[in-house]
Structures are given as structure tokens and as C-alpha cells.
Amino acid sequence: MKNIELKCYDCYQSAIATVARYYNHDYQIVALGRIGFKYDDDMDESIGTKIHPYDYRKFDDFWDLIGIAQHEYILENDSEQIFKEHLKNNQPILLWADLYDCYWNLAFNKYHFTHCYLLNGYEKNKENIVFFGQDSFFDVQEINQTFGQIRRMTSKYNVFELYKKQYNYYEKIFDEIKKDAEYYFLNESGKNIGRFAEDLQSVNFEMENKYRTRDLYAVPLIDNLKIVGDRREAYFIMIKFLSNVHKNNMNNILEGLNSAYKKWELVRIILIKKMMSGEKKTELDLVFKLLNEIIVIEESIFEEILKSTK
């Protein structure tokens, strides 16, 4: 099972997309529901912690649309045998862990953060059952662990199971895209971006740095903007795929998403430079201008989606 190559997915999306592609299903729709901009300007903390990129629209039909069932379990003493049965039946297993315990990445024994990875097989050697895993997010293809090592790392797991796609599959996907557009406006994403832009005019970078969890890129202001931009890129990939398959002319939407993603990334890069080199008012003015351009672009994108999916 080959890892997904795209870097715009979070660890959970990467795992789901990897499994979906393994089953020859359309992994691109993992972007559904993960669009918008939530900003809690009532909070008294840093500007970066007011951005909530992991709050997104959840919907019950996602697993039906992607054609995979997901079952959640608590890890028990007999889970080793259960793991073997699932893997024999071609059912990959997703494990939830702390990055601190994941020996295959640089956060090992350093930083705490919720993470997930996959098990895809096992073999028995002279001493133990060894499970084979992979980390789609970090593109690590070979992870070898005993059940005891897994048990020390996690207390819960998910099992994926293949089943057939729904009838009128693409029609239902476009219905969910329309709901994403409605969600964007319902949650006042454009206004939230505007409030974020206003707050940045008086940003205190020393305050932002106090919320750093490890390196510069883990400052919430920088890290959360990376996720916001990634969500746009993932949505672009999904719309491009659907446009090609469904033969819909969605060029304006694609151009808008691509432009929005690039502007979000430029905002993030400017703020990284400012954190490292000090404040310059002209650069903050540029950030303000870019964010207001993003509002116009994104609102026009979702207005067009609402019109085209009527």
C-alpha cells in the first residue's frame, strides 16, 4: 500500500486517502467539509490561537461517498489476534498515537502531538508477531512493531473496510460541495478573515512566540495558517479531479482556489519573515491587502459554486 504523495492533507486525511487509493476509490474527496475560516476574536490569547483550522463541517455521508467503512475500537489484550484477522482480510488498521512515541520521525521523545498511522500487514518470526506499518503523513513506508510496542503507544484504533460506492455518487458529492459553500457563508468566513486582518495590524510577535511548541513553524499563527492554506490546496485538487471526471467547466472556481491558496501562503511567508527580522509597517499593509483580496476571491468562488449546483 503506497503512501499518498500529497502534502496538503493532515495525518488523518493522508491515512484515509492512502487507504481509499489502495481500494481504487476517489481519495480526493477527503477535502470535503474542510473549508472556511473560523476565528474566535473573543479570546484573549494570541492571534494565532484564535484561528481554528480543525473545526470543520462534519457530515454522516462521508464514508458512504468515499466507499469505505470505518470501525472504531478500544485496544484490548486480545487485540493482537484481532489485528491479524483484519489484516488477513485486507482491512488496514489506523492507530492513534502521540508523536512523542513515534520513533520514525524527528518529534520522537521531544514533542507531544496527536498523530495517526497505518498497519498494513504482519509476519511471525522466531520470537514475536511483527506488524508492518506506514506513516502516510511523513511518507514513511516501513514501520515494524510488536504488539507490545503498539500497546504502549496507543489505546484506540480504527479498522477500514471496503464496500461499494453509492448510486449517483457524483451527484451526492456536488450536493456536499454546495453545503460547504453554504457553510462558508453561514459561519461568516469572509468576515472572520477581515477580523483576522484587522487584528494583525497590531500584532505582538513576542506574544505569538510565547505559544510556540517547538520550532518557528509551530508558532500557532504560522502553523494554523499553513493548515488553512493546505485546506484550499486540497479543495483545488478535489475540484480539479471532479471537473475532469464529470466534464464540468469549473475553470473559474479552480483559478480562484489556486489564487487563494497562493495568497494564503504568501501571507504566511511574510509573517515568518517578520517574526525573524522585526516589524515593518509596509509588510503588514501588504498582509492586510492580501487578506482582503482573499475575502473577495473566496466569496466569489462559493457564490459561483452555489449558482452552479442549483
Side-chain angles (χ1 to χ4, degrees):
M1 188 164 62
K2 187 180 178 183
N3 286 327
I4 206 76
E5 298 89 354
L6 297 168
K7 301 304 180 186
C8 55
Y9 296 153
D10 61 36
C11 63
Y12 189 44
Q13 286 177 302
S14 295
I16 296 168
T18 294
V19 173
R21 186 174 64 179
Y22 174 66
Y23 286 145
N24 292 318
H25 283 200
D26 299 333
Y27 65 85
Q28 295 88 346
I29 66 172
V30 296
L32 279 172
R34 297 170 186 257
I35 202 75
F37 188 84
K38 184 172 181 181
Y39 187 70
D40 189 358
D41 56 0
D42 291 332
M43 294 175 63
D44 293 328
E45 300 177 29
S46 72
I47 293 173
T49 56
K50 296 178 182 181
I51 304 170
H52 298 280
Y54 288 106
D55 285 1
Y56 55 90
R57 185 180 71 87
K58 300 176 178 67
F59 58 100
D60 295 334
D61 290 340
F62 172 76
W63 296 106
D64 288 336
L65 290 177
I66 204 164
I68 300 172
Q70 177 188 237
H71 310 285
E72 299 182 6
Y73 300 99
I74 300 298
L75 202 70
E76 306 284 358
N77 289 332
D78 62 349
S79 294
E80 181 176 32
Q81 184 59 36
I82 294 171
F83 280 11
K84 289 162 61 180
E85 291 301 317
H86 285 304
L87 294 170
K88 278 182 189 176
N89 292 326
N90 202 29
Q91 297 173 339
I93 296 168
L94 180 143
L95 298 174
W96 291 99
D98 187 333
L99 273 178
Y100 188 89
D101 298 318
C102 298
Y103 71 83
W104 56 89
N105 75 79
L106 294 176
F108 180 56
N109 282 346
K110 293 180 182 177
Y111 311 119
H112 294 281
F113 200 83
T114 302
H115 188 57
C116 62
Y117 65 102
L118 295 166
L119 295 184
N120 56 43
Y122 72 93
E123 73 174 11
K124 185 174 182 179
N125 61 26
K126 292 182 180 179
E127 299 178 355
N128 295 300
I129 301 293
V130 177
F131 289 94
F132 304 136
Q134 62 190 90
D135 190 327
S136 304
F137 184 74
F138 289 109
D139 195 20
V140 176
Q141 198 67 52
E142 295 184 8
I143 299 169
N144 298 327
Q145 293 179 294
T146 65
F147 181 74
Q149 291 170 324
I150 293 170
R151 187 71 192 265
R152 288 191 289 272
M153 288 177 63
T154 186
S155 61
K156 60 180 181 177
Y157 65 96
N158 302 356
V159 176
F160 295 113
E161 181 182 6
L162 174 66
Y163 66 91
K164 293 181 180 179
K165 297 176 185 175
Q166 285 185 319
Y167 177 67
N168 63 7
Y169 164 71
Y170 290 112
E171 181 181 335
K172 291 182 179 294
I173 289 177
F174 282 109
D175 285 344
E176 294 300 333
I177 290 171
K178 179 181 178 181
K179 290 176 185 177
D180 280 347
E182 292 169 344
Y183 183 83
Y184 184 92
F185 289 111
L186 181 65
N187 285 273
E188 299 185 330
S189 295
K191 290 183 179 178
N192 287 337
I193 296 170
R195 287 191 278 265
F196 170 60
E198 291 286 349
D199 284 353
L200 279 177
Q201 297 304 294
S202 55
V203 62
N204 181 334
F205 285 109
E206 287 187 8
M207 172 66 75
E208 300 302 317
N209 269 307
K210 286 181 180 179
Y211 290 84
R212 176 188 301 190
T213 56
R214 43 191 191 277
D215 55 28
L216 174 63
Y217 296 96
V219 174
L221 179 59
I222 304 304
D223 194 31
N224 287 338
L225 284 180
K226 173 71 165 60
I227 299 166
V228 169
D230 285 347
R231 300 292 195 227
R232 273 65 181 169
E233 185 181 6
Y235 220 81
F236 170 85
I237 290 167
M238 179 183 69
I239 294 295
K240 185 175 181 179
F241 165 76
L242 293 171
S243 178
N244 291 336
V245 171
H246 207 63
K247 308 303 180 186
N248 276 15
N249 186 350
M250 306 179 80
N251 288 339
N252 290 340
I253 295 170
L254 287 168
E255 288 175 6
L257 285 168
N258 190 44
S259 176
Y261 161 69
K262 289 179 178 178
K263 289 179 186 294
W264 278 113
E265 183 63 6
L266 183 55
V267 166
R268 189 177 75 92
I269 290 170
I270 291 171
L271 292 175
I272 289 173
K273 289 180 177 178
K274 288 180 67 58
M275 280 190 167
M276 298 175 68
S277 61
E279 300 181 18
K280 295 180 182 177
K281 186 65 172 65
T282 53
E283 291 179 352
L284 283 177
D285 289 343
L286 176 57
V287 167
F288 186 82
K289 179 176 179 290
L290 287 167
L291 289 169
N292 279 280
E293 288 173 357
I294 288 170
I295 295 170
V296 174
I297 293 168
E298 292 193 351
E299 289 188 344
S300 67
I301 289 169
F302 292 108
E303 284 170 359
E304 182 162 347
I305 285 174
L306 288 173
K307 290 176 184 176
S308 63
T309 54
K310 284 184 178 179

